[in-house]
Amino acid sequence: MISLNVNGKAMQVDADPDMPLLWALRDHLNLTGTKYGCGIAQCGACTVHIDGQPIRSCMRPVSTVLAGQKVVTIEGLAPNASHPLQKAWVALDVPQCGFCQSGMLMTAAALLKKKPSPTDGDIDDAMTNICRCGTYNRVRAAIHLAAKSDKA
């Protein structure tokens, strides 16, 4: 058994130690908001936080998440979609297909934690997630909107 702290709750996962964290979250803990995209840590659909840092969970073995480390998935970002980013995403109709959006939101949340007033350059540097629908301009606008509303 592997012990994890996920979204503020202690959880046990009976999984192969080499299983990617993504599959432990999705298949063992039923946290299906984190998506599988490429499987090689390039697209960012699988992004979650470990101790506040965005990581690509498709390549991270579940056994490498140390005791005491806090994993946050899209389900744990904010209750009732109340995070400023989630509100901005809705207000600006950011998603088209929506598949990449949980990873985008998790990457953006880590960015705003690190840089509460990001520049366009900061956003471009941080947001390495791939959106096949090409909503990058709306993603940037929503991050700026969330940054402003988070200060209000």
Side-chain angles (χ1 to χ4, degrees), residues 109-122:
L111 168 63
L112 288 182
K113 196 92 150 154
K114 186 176 178 182
K115 294 189 177 194
S117 298
T119 65
D120 284 348
D122 294 332

Side-chain angles (χ1 to χ4, degrees), residues 83-94 112 116-118 120 123 137-152:
H83 191 283
L85 281 165
Q86 291 167 311
K87 291 178 181 179
W89 246 243
V90 170
L92 298 180
D93 287 326
V94 172
L112 288 182
S117 298
D120 284 348
I123 293 169
N137 290 334
R138 286 189 274 172
V139 166
R140 181 186 293 148
I143 292 170
H144 283 303
L145 179 60
K148 289 177 191 163
S149 67
D150 199 29
K151 293 179 181 76

